[in-house]
Amino acid sequence: MDDGRRGRMKLRAYPIVMHGVSMSIGSTDPLNMDYLRKLKRLALKTKARWVSDHVCWTGVAAKNTHDLLPISYNAETLQHLCNRIRIVQEVLERPLVLENPSKYVTFRDSTMSEWEFIRQLTIETSCQLLLDVNNVYVSSVNHDFDPKGYLDSIPVDRVVQFHLAGHTDLGTHCIDTHDGVVVDNVWELFRYAYQRGIRASTLLEWDASIPEFGVVHAEVLKAKDYLRSAQVSDKMDLRTPMVYQDDHMHKPSDRLRIPQPAMYTSAEVE
Amino acid sequence: MTKMTSDRSLRDVQQWMQSMIVAPDGVHSETHSRDDDTAIEEFAVMTIDNMILPSRKLTSQQRMEVYANAYYARLLECLCDEFPALVSLLGQETFDVFASEYLQSYPSQSYTLADLGNHFGRFLEDDRDHAIDGERLEQSHAWVDLLVDLAELERTYSEVFSGPGIETSEALNAEAISAIPPEQVGIIRLVPAPCVKLLVLKTRAHEYTIAVRKGVKPLPTVPKSAATFLVITRINYVVRTIRVEPDEFHLLQKLVDDVCLEQAIASVAEQSSLSEEQLANCLSGWFQKWAMDRLFVGIKPQVGF
């Protein structure tokens, strides 16, 4: 619900973090101040530990595609985002937490890597990071880069949360579908991030084709196992190249795979 | 005038990309979403190849298609979730055609997907002329009436579900009304629950809609034309559909419109075929029912009250 009334019933027992897909921090349209004020109000009511969104834009010219659209990584875009992040942080009166989204195109206009761009964002605005390890992996496949190099560049002290999720490997590219188990390569990256010194809470995203609770829970518990193993394998060579294990990838079904976000809450009707 | 590659701004790039991914025929197309014609002309030199790098396994165009395919797939999925009865009645393929045209006419302008279906009923109504078969005029109009009714009803369900409610507040009960001095009962105005919506349909679309949502098999036959008066509300976060008689609906409408009790009842009495005694009996039953259904939450303070 728009103002979180229903959710608030269950909030007293658990710490809350707020994660959105509509801030459109990278858009060249004006920031939606009404939306930001609602976010702030909800964050105060729920005593949210932080408010996060994505390094992306969702629409322009007053339209919303409801997708996490990619930005070009160059000085103009960096300046634009820094200005807007500062405004958002002033309105929310707290550091903004930004997540790296999965990306499917590379702009010719880009003059720096995604990880350089994100690093600069944190330096110039003091924003914090939500490190989606699956998104790093998906983008590394789609953009032909080494995901460990990406993680090496992330400022460890800025990360407040990890995201993990399943994706769909279409052979030619990966799509961030949140509809299956986390693949081994992503788990390995997660362990690598921990070994690099990133200490943050972990959230598993499984919001399409959701299985029984026990299956989801077991996947969450795997995160603990990987962190435990990371603690004992301190002699491991951190720079071991990634080995792509295609046989463990989530294979596509006939349904058209829709990149996240694709969430709509249907009304409960009697 | 077209922009050269060297001086395109971030805004140019975003307008170009958006126009590409919302184009109804995909990124191959020469035609584009109506609102973006200007952008397309202005950025004619911004081709996919000179904007987007290929990857090892995909061309620039294939990479853009990931976003273009996702745009309609994502929003159609949301509309299917919001309008399941329309999907059932029309079939998936026909629904997708309507929904795709709707998205081109009414692209989302809201930060929330909850607003995506806002204008679907109006779109179907506006599209009535295209759907009318001159040789079967009556059936055609009845068919469109049903489509519009289903869209309005399912949209109302969404709004009532997502909007403000009374789960954490008290509803107006009979004791509160009986505590009002008799000489002042007539001038009171009732405060409707914020989740209460009144809906007049041309068909019994609600019976079909509820059957679809409950997964009833076989589904009831397609509803025939019949004026239908509904109250849609929400109790304990579940949306409820209450069918009422025309007189009861008339009174509710007056009260929701902030007419005082006395005038509202007088208005009903004037139009109703019920005798004074019959109406009095009905009123008693209606108020008890409304209290149970939590349709009102308070009494507006009157001067000197």
Side-chain angles (χ1 to χ4, degrees):
Chain A
M1 297 195 177
D2 203 35
D3 68 354
R5 274 182 304 278
R6 188 173 198 175
R8 282 208 303 280
M9 293 171 67
K10 296 169 184 169
L11 299 189
R12 293 187 187 102
Y14 301 98
I16 293 298
V17 300
M18 283 168 53
H19 186 50
V21 293
S22 300
M23 192 177 289
S24 202
I25 195 75
S27 174
T28 50
D29 270 6
L31 282 163
N32 184 339
M33 299 309 283
D34 180 49
Y35 173 74
L36 291 178
R37 280 189 285 270
K38 284 182 178 175
L39 269 190
K40 181 180 182 180
R41 205 158 53 230
L42 185 57
L44 288 172
K45 280 182 181 172
T46 58
K47 297 184 171 60
R49 301 288 176 93
W50 62 74
V51 176
S52 60
D53 207 294
H54 299 79
V55 181
C56 74
W57 59 290
T58 62
V60 72
K63 308 286 194 312
N64 191 348
T65 66
H66 298 282
D67 201 349
L68 308 177
L69 299 174
I71 54 174
S72 47
Y73 299 126
N74 55 40
E76 182 196 0
T77 315
L78 180 63
Q79 193 56 50
H80 178 68
L81 259 79
C82 286
N83 291 342
R84 287 164 67 98
I85 291 168
R86 290 188 192 102
I87 293 169
V88 169
Q89 292 184 153
E90 275 181 32
V91 172
L92 298 182
E93 296 184 285
R94 59 173 74 206
L96 179 61
V97 178
L98 285 172
E99 175 181 345
N100 56 302
S102 285
K103 286 178 68 223
Y104 309 99
V105 299
T106 312
F107 288 101
R108 288 187 186 274
D109 280 352
S110 289
T111 57
M112 63 180 90
S113 64
E114 180 176 320
W115 51 94
E116 287 173 311
F117 187 91
I118 287 178
R119 187 178 179 82
Q120 284 300 316
L121 275 186
T122 64
I123 291 169
E124 295 197 22
T125 68
S126 300
C127 71
Q128 296 176 319
L129 296 177
L130 193 167
L131 181 61
D132 189 316
V133 182
N134 179 60
N135 288 349
V136 171
Y137 179 79
V138 166
S139 291
S140 77
V141 172
N142 295 343
H143 302 273
D144 311 315
F145 64 75
D146 174 13
K148 287 187 174 176
Y150 188 119
L151 296 181
D152 286 342
S153 186
I154 291 297
V156 296
D157 59 329
R158 306 311 300 167
V159 180
V160 298
Q161 191 172 39
F162 288 113
H163 274 187
L164 293 166
H167 63 257
T168 301
D169 182 11
L170 294 168
T172 52
H173 61 292
C174 290
I175 293 186
D176 179 35
T177 44
H178 294 191
D179 62 348
V181 296
V182 179
V183 302
D184 290 351
N185 279 335
V186 173
W187 284 122
E188 288 306 322
L189 276 181
F190 177 57
R191 176 155 51 194
Y192 182 79
Y194 185 86
Q195 287 173 325
R196 270 213 64 237
I198 300 176
R199 299 291 181 271
S201 62
T202 302
L203 176 78
L204 174 72
E205 298 180 294
W206 197 329
D207 41 51
S209 307
I210 303 169
E212 295 295 313
F213 176 76
V215 178
V216 178
H217 190 224
E219 197 69 2
V220 172
L221 294 180
K222 271 193 208 170
K224 287 192 173 180
D225 292 340
Y226 270 88
L227 294 182
R228 215 171 285 128
S229 71
Q231 287 164 356
V232 299
S233 62
D234 55 349
K235 290 180 183 171
M236 176 184 166
D237 176 7
L238 296 184
R239 291 297 307 162
T240 305
M242 293 291 296
V243 178
Y244 293 84
Q245 299 167 321
D246 286 333
D247 53 329
H248 293 294
M249 300 292 181
H250 190 160
K251 300 300 180 193
S253 68
D254 292 338
R255 189 174 82 87
L256 177 61
R257 294 291 166 174
I258 304 174
Q260 288 305 302
M263 285 171 279
Y264 175 81
T265 307
S266 302
E268 196 173 340
V269 175
E270 279 189 354
Chain B
M1 188 181 135
T2 54
K3 304 257 177 174
M4 301 308 292
T5 305
S6 57
D7 69 353
R8 64 191 169 215
S9 66
L10 177 58
R11 187 158 187 84
D12 293 342
V13 173
Q14 291 186 343
Q15 289 191 315
W16 170 81
M17 183 167 187
Q18 183 169 282
S19 68
M20 285 287 134
I21 64 178
V22 306
D25 299 326
V27 293
H28 307 276
S29 173
E30 292 301 315
T31 57
H32 298 276
S33 189
R34 294 161 214 178
D35 289 347
D36 294 313
D37 285 349
T38 312
I40 287 298
E41 189 181 332
E42 186 154 350
F43 306 121
V45 295
M46 297 168 74
T47 65
I48 294 173
D49 283 338
N50 70 24
M51 294 294 291
I52 304 294
L53 284 167
S55 68
R56 270 195 306 143
K57 294 181 178 173
L58 292 181
T59 65
S60 304
Q61 178 162 315
Q62 287 170 323
R63 300 182 90 188
M64 276 292 284
E65 282 170 353
V66 175
Y67 290 101
N69 293 338
Y71 173 72
Y72 280 100
R74 173 183 295 110
L75 299 187
L76 288 179
E77 188 168 284
C78 292
L79 289 172
C80 285
D81 286 346
E82 182 166 7
F83 299 100
L86 266 177
V87 175
S88 170
L89 188 73
L90 291 169
Q92 189 68 59
E93 203 173 321
T94 307
F95 178 86
D96 285 352
V97 171
F98 275 110
S100 297
E101 289 179 3
Y102 167 69
L103 291 172
Q104 290 160 51
S105 298
Y106 293 91
S108 175
Q109 296 188 302
S110 169
Y111 66 85
T112 170
L113 281 168
D115 293 337
L116 187 65
N118 260 351
H119 309 292
F120 203 31
R122 189 198 304 172
F123 167 77
L124 293 172
E125 180 67 58
D126 291 346
D127 205 43
R128 178 183 287 269
D129 289 345
H130 296 135
I132 296 302
D133 178 345
E135 291 179 7
R136 298 191 305 165
L137 203 58
E138 198 174 325
Q139 292 100 314
S140 296
H141 276 296
W143 176 251
V144 178
D145 286 344
L146 177 58
L147 298 185
V148 172
D149 276 358
L150 288 173
E152 288 197 359
L153 180 60
E154 296 198 297
R155 180 64 205 162
T156 304
Y157 285 158
S158 301
E159 289 174 357
V160 169
F161 181 71
S162 306
I166 51 169
E167 281 78 9
T168 55
S169 56
E170 291 293 316
L172 187 64
N173 55 35
E175 288 75 35
I177 295 180
S178 61
I180 301 167
E183 67 277 11
Q184 293 189 335
V185 168
I187 61 168
I188 65 168
R189 288 178 164 80
L190 301 180
V191 181
C195 49
V196 166
K197 303 276 183 197
L198 304 178
L199 209 54
V200 184
L201 303 181
K202 292 175 178 167
T203 65
R204 292 191 177 183
H206 64 295
E207 292 172 355
Y208 185 80
T209 305
I210 291 170
V212 169
R213 288 177 181 247
K214 286 187 172 174
V216 171
K217 301 282 181 189
L219 283 169
T221 54
V222 173
K224 293 194 173 131
S225 297
T228 304
F229 301 87
L230 300 178
V231 180
I232 314 296
T233 188
R234 193 180 81 208
I235 299 173
N236 292 331
Y237 301 105
V238 176
V239 178
R240 297 181 193 267
T241 312
I242 306 163
R243 184 163 174 252
V244 297
E245 293 303 314
D247 287 338
E248 182 182 358
F249 187 89
H250 184 174
L251 181 57
L252 276 170
Q253 187 70 67
K254 290 286 176 191
L255 295 172
V256 166
D257 290 345
D258 204 28
V259 175
C260 75
L261 196 52
E262 188 173 36
Q263 287 176 7
I265 292 172
S267 172
V268 174
E270 198 177 300
Q271 294 189 14
S272 174
S273 58
L274 296 173
S275 69
E276 203 170 306
E277 189 183 349
Q278 285 172 322
L279 182 59
N281 284 336
C282 284
L283 285 172
S284 167
W286 292 342
F287 274 95
Q288 284 177 30
K289 192 163 64 126
W290 298 345
M292 272 175 46
D293 290 331
R294 310 184 72 188
L295 300 190
F296 293 95
V297 290
I299 298 167
K300 284 191 182 171
Q302 305 291 324
V303 177
F305 181 61

